[in-house]
Amino acid sequence: MRKAVLPAVIIITSILLIVRIFYLQVIDENLKLQSENNAIKKVFDFPERGYIYDRNGKLLVANQPSYDIMVVPREIKNIDTTEFCNLLHITKEYFIKKIEKANVYSPRLPSVFLSQLNKAEYAAFQEKERKFEGFYTQKRSLRDYQVKEGANIFGFITQVNEAILNKNKYYNSGDLIGKQGVEQEYEEILRGIKGVKYLLRDKHNKIIGPYKKGQFDTIAQQGKDLTLTIDHELQKYGTDLMINKRGGIVAIEPKTGEILALVSAPTYDPALLVGRQRSKNYTALYNDSISKPLYDRGLQATYPPGSPFKIVTGLIGLQEEVIDEQTTFYCNHGANFGRFMKCHCGLHSLQLNNGTYKSCNSYFGNTYKRTIEKYKDSYYSVDNWANHVKSFGLGQFLGTDMPIGAKGLVPTSKMYKKMYNGSPIRSSYIISNSIGQGEVLTSPIQLANMMAVVANQGYYYTPHIVKKIKGQPLDKKFTTKHYSTIDKQYFPPIIQGLADVYNNPIGTAAGLRVQGLNICGKTGTAENKIRVAGKTYQLKDHSIFVAFAPQENPTIAIAVFIENGYWGSRWAGPIATLMVEKYVNGKITRKDLEDRMLNGSLLSEYEKIENIIFQRKVDPIKVQDSLNKINVEISEAKKEEEEN
């Protein structure tokens, strides 16, 4: 009996293998289609990518036809290379290089030989295509941008690289894929589904008709359209205001988390990354390490938040019950916290309201000191404070539907234990955190989201840039509330202080008031230094402003960062005010601010940075003239601020 078992197993196994091989090779047609079958030619029909609209239905991104010349190296036979190269205006060296590359990919499969022909090139080649066996044209669609703003939002499309080909079997050599922005994040939705036709060839390699009467052919399905949360008019206005400046603007609708504007400056025309010059233009943009037009400052840049962080300091102080609205601190041009923290307030007794609208360092330094000293365990106090801060969306990736972003930094006990070798932390060591000048780092979108929390009095929705996908629901994470650790009852007094920043005659943004529009805002200034070749250079501070409006039933929350913009009310404040008025009222009444911002420039400040970085030798007379001019501007601006 035992002797019969082994032969039986061998026979049964052999039968199963034969049956399986017969099925795969004879019955299962799909395997034939998937293999590199010489008798079957696979032709793809590429769908149009989905269109992109703004929140008001304005078409932002459409499509335009494009043609690629494809090559199957194994099928090239007896072509006139000279005629071919002359027809397409390429060199013979280029021809050889592309054929070698195509062979590396696959001698049997098609790959792109020359991409994105214009209409004239396509017509010329199509007329003589029959003479060049092994080559054929493939129709695709390229993006057709209807607007010049929002390149950082859209991203671009490019050919897939080898890494993507190895990772994702959907793509073939020459296919296009979204990179950066919504093109990347929503690639599978926008790209649609390729159609496939299987054509049968005879022994002479001529097409004789569809394979199996086309029963395996599929129809291309166009990509789904996207409606963005962006208001294009607001986006364009913000882009115009940021000309000759560097920084970011992020505006959010508080009640939904929808991003109304996402401006990064400097920027570029998205049409630069379409067509035959795309690669050349991208290289130029990528190599611009000074202006960094591909760097989204609204999402990726992190800065010390400066005085806007006092909003969080005050709310945590109220929640921890170390202060109330009547708690009073004295400011003597600053306060001593083991080291003297300067303040512009002068000699004043301050409470929460005037401490907020005057942006008093002494008041919020004392509030922070009490918060950290509330518990005996200083490391517990730091973590307790950090947890409050993080509940505003700071110090973390917000989970937006953009493929890039920065986490920022909210220091915790783990960080300070390492810094201070486990010794107890005194509040005086880290007092700068109170006014946003310590270890805390934030991005513009995080500060805009922080203001959405304040506007909503305690909650926010994950910021997102897609409002609607045709035929598909929005991800639930964008419609889920996130609550801060601060009770709702503590927000009204802070909000009143922010309103008085504009409305009180000595508020830090009193000169930016808009008649009939109650804006709540906060000015900010962040120190700015760079280190080059072992030497530290003090540069002009960054200008910061955060706001929401109207005070009752807010419809917009905004954060503006202007690099090297002096102080909050000089550049960031006017820009934020104009953006808010534009969105809420639909028109601008502060024409004085608008003219100053549209025509203003910080290029001279950025030139100084370039001179430092590249150690350029400059004419000392020109430098002195420039410094004199800047000092006059500063004096005039300070005089104007004091008068306001």
Side-chain angles (χ1 to χ4, degrees):
M1 182 68 180
R2 290 181 181 178
K3 292 181 180 180
V5 171
L6 183 58
V9 170
I10 294 172
I11 292 169
I12 293 171
T13 302
S14 300
I15 292 171
L16 290 174
L17 285 172
I18 292 169
V19 170
R20 181 60 177 165
I21 292 170
F22 177 80
Y23 173 78
L24 291 175
Q25 294 189 351
V26 179
I27 298 176
D28 188 359
E29 298 288 347
N30 288 322
L31 190 63
K32 288 182 181 179
L33 299 178
Q34 292 169 12
S35 68
E36 296 182 6
N37 195 319
N38 290 336
I40 301 172
K41 182 178 181 180
K42 186 190 292 186
V43 178
F44 291 105
D45 182 14
F46 290 89
E48 280 196 288
R49 288 180 78 84
Y51 284 40
I52 299 177
Y53 300 85
D54 88 334
R55 66 187 297 112
N56 299 312
K58 178 179 176 59
L59 179 62
L60 304 176
V61 186
N63 298 302
Q64 56 181 311
S66 171
Y67 302 92
D68 294 344
I69 294 180
M70 309 295 293
V71 62
V72 182
R74 186 173 177 175
E75 297 178 4
I76 298 175
K77 294 177 183 178
N78 303 321
I79 70 168
D80 186 334
T81 306
T82 302
E83 182 184 9
F84 183 90
C85 292
N86 290 339
L87 182 65
L88 295 173
H89 308 291
I90 60 174
T91 64
K92 195 164 185 178
E93 290 73 22
Y94 179 87
F95 177 90
I96 294 170
K97 183 179 178 181
K98 294 296 287 186
I99 296 300
E100 288 175 349
K101 185 177 179 181
N103 259 313
V104 170
Y105 171 66
S106 173
R108 298 169 178 266
L109 296 177
S111 58
V112 175
F113 177 84
L114 195 62
S115 63
Q116 300 175 14
L117 275 66
N118 59 38
K119 291 181 179 179
E121 292 170 329
Y122 168 68
F125 182 79
Q126 190 181 41
E127 186 178 339
K128 297 186 177 182
E129 183 177 339
R130 56 183 176 76
K131 297 174 64 176
F132 306 119
E133 196 168 348
F135 294 88
Y136 67 95
T137 54
Q138 173 73 66
K139 184 179 178 181
R140 304 180 195 271
S141 64
L142 296 180
R143 282 315 206 183
D144 185 12
Y145 294 100
Q146 309 298 300
V147 297
K148 293 185 177 181
E149 302 77 26
N152 60 313
I153 296 170
F154 305 138
F156 56 92
I157 57 173
T158 184
Q159 285 188 21
V160 293
N161 56 34
E162 190 173 345
I164 295 172
L165 289 173
N166 293 332
K167 184 178 179 181
N168 194 326
K169 298 304 178 184
Y170 173 85
Y171 298 100
N172 297 304
S173 179
D175 283 5
L176 301 176
I177 190 171
K179 296 290 287 185
Q180 301 182 10
V182 295
E183 294 281 16
Q184 177 176 325
E185 189 70 13
Y186 290 92
E187 162 66 11
E188 291 188 13
I189 290 170
L190 286 168
R191 76 186 182 193
I193 300 175
K194 288 183 289 190
V196 184
K197 291 181 180 179
Y198 298 96
L199 304 175
L200 193 61
R201 296 188 278 201
D202 63 16
K203 63 181 180 179
H204 301 294
N205 212 28
K206 301 297 183 183
I207 301 296
I208 58 175
Y211 175 72
K212 294 285 185 179
K213 297 183 180 180
Q215 63 175 308
F216 296 103
D217 294 353
T218 58
I219 299 173
Q221 297 179 31
Q222 183 173 346
K224 294 177 181 176
D225 296 343
L226 294 184
T227 298
L228 302 185
T229 60
I230 295 295
D231 182 315
H232 174 256
E233 287 302 313
L234 190 66
Q235 180 78 18
K236 183 180 186 305
Y237 189 55
T239 302
D240 291 342
L241 292 171
M242 291 296 287
I243 291 174
N244 293 329
K245 307 166 192 73
R246 294 177 189 167
I249 304 174
V250 182
I252 295 174
E253 185 178 67
K255 287 184 172 59
T256 61
E258 294 177 356
I259 299 173
L260 302 171
L262 181 59
V263 178
S264 180
T267 187
Y268 61 95
D269 186 339
L272 287 173
L273 299 185
V274 177
R276 294 279 289 279
Q277 299 300 312
R278 188 204 68 79
S279 181
K280 177 183 176 182
N281 292 339
Y282 180 82
T283 300
L285 293 170
Y286 181 82
N287 289 334
D288 185 350
S289 59
I290 301 298
S291 297
K292 299 180 180 179
L294 294 176
Y295 181 61
D296 192 325
R297 286 169 164 86
L299 298 176
Q300 294 176 283
T302 57
Y303 312 84
S307 290
F309 194 74
K310 293 172 183 175
I311 298 169
V312 176
T313 300
L315 286 167
I316 294 173
L318 291 169
Q319 181 68 36
E320 289 295 319
E321 298 181 344
V322 297
I323 61 166
D324 57 28
E325 292 180 60
Q326 283 72 47
T327 301
T328 303
F329 296 112
Y330 188 71
C331 181
N332 182 13
H333 297 286
N336 194 340
F337 298 103
R339 61 183 180 83
F340 194 75
M341 179 188 285
K342 293 181 180 180
C343 184
H344 61 275
C345 279
L347 300 169
H348 290 286
S349 295
L350 294 124
Q351 297 178 330
L352 181 61
N353 182 259
N354 61 350
T356 299
Y357 70 69
K358 295 187 72 173
S359 194
C360 179
N361 290 346
S362 301
Y363 183 89
F364 290 99
N366 275 294
T367 299
Y368 182 76
K369 181 175 184 292
R370 287 190 177 186
T371 300
I372 297 301
E373 294 178 354
K374 179 179 178 180
Y375 302 100
K376 290 183 179 180
D377 185 340
S378 59
Y379 286 115
Y380 173 82
S381 291
V382 167
D383 284 337
N384 180 57
W385 165 82
N387 288 336
H388 284 306
V389 175
K390 289 178 180 179
S391 74
F392 286 81
L394 304 178
Q396 58 187 285
F397 295 110
L398 283 169
T400 68
D401 54 346
M402 292 291 278
I404 55 174
K407 188 176 182 180
L409 177 63
V410 174
T412 62
S413 64
K414 183 179 180 180
M415 176 179 170
Y416 287 131
K417 281 178 181 177
K418 189 174 182 180
M419 287 177 63
Y420 297 110
N421 296 317
S423 300
I425 307 172
R426 295 183 181 275
S427 61
S428 58
Y429 297 172
I430 56 176
I431 198 68
S432 293
N433 285 335
S434 63
I435 59 172
Q437 293 287 177
E439 286 74 45
V440 180
L441 294 173
T442 60
S443 63
I445 193 171
Q446 288 176 333
L447 282 190
N449 187 69
M450 180 192 81
M451 290 307 285
V453 176
V454 179
N456 292 331
Q457 299 188 36
Y459 69 88
Y460 70 92
Y461 290 98
T462 299
H464 53 284
I465 209 156
V466 168
K467 184 178 181 70
K468 185 172 61 176
I469 303 170
K470 188 176 181 180
Q472 186 172 319
L474 203 61
D475 193 317
K476 287 184 179 180
K477 74 175 183 178
F478 300 128
T479 57
T480 302
K481 281 185 180 180
H482 304 277
Y483 290 91
S484 75
T485 56
I486 309 301
D487 295 340
K488 185 175 181 179
Q489 69 192 68
Y490 297 120
F491 285 92
I494 289 286
I495 290 172
Q496 186 55 52
L498 297 176
D500 290 338
V501 167
Y502 276 91
N503 297 329
N504 193 289
I506 56 173
T508 56
L512 304 177
R513 280 193 297 264
V514 176
Q515 189 68 33
L517 179 57
N518 205 6
I519 307 175
C520 300
K522 186 76 191 69
T523 54
T525 305
E527 290 185 4
N528 180 25
K529 300 176 183 179
I530 60 170
R531 192 167 177 82
V532 178
K535 185 177 179 181
T536 300
Y537 296 85
Q538 180 73 51
L539 304 175
K540 285 293 181 291
D541 294 338
H542 297 314
S543 176
I544 310 167
F545 201 89
V546 296
F548 66 83
Q551 181 177 356
E552 301 294 333
N553 193 27
T555 57
I556 183 173
I558 191 168
V560 179
F561 271 73
I562 307 297
E563 294 179 6
N564 308 88
Y566 297 74
W567 55 85
S569 61
R570 181 163 184 182
W571 291 101
I575 288 174
T577 301
L578 291 167
M579 291 285 284
V580 168
E581 187 182 15
K582 176 77 170 176
Y583 185 72
V584 176
N585 290 345
K587 61 180 181 179
I588 298 297
T589 59
R590 290 299 307 266
K591 292 293 183 180
D592 57 325
L593 295 182
E594 184 178 57
D595 290 343
R596 184 155 62 90
M597 292 301 105
L598 289 175
N599 299 315
S601 172
L602 286 166
L603 293 182
S604 61
E605 288 299 329
Y606 305 139
E607 186 178 0
K608 292 179 192 176
I609 301 172
E610 293 175 30
N611 290 337
I612 292 170
I613 292 173
F614 296 111
Q615 300 291 298
R616 293 172 178 159
K617 292 182 180 180
V618 294
D619 185 338
I621 296 176
K622 288 184 178 180
V623 170
Q624 191 58 53
D625 288 344
S626 177
L627 289 173
N628 291 340
K629 183 179 179 182
I630 290 170
N631 288 331
V632 170
E633 289 176 356
I634 292 174
S635 298
E636 290 176 350
K638 285 184 176 178
K639 183 179 179 181
E640 180 184 345
E641 187 176 38
E642 289 171 0
E643 289 174 353
N644 289 331

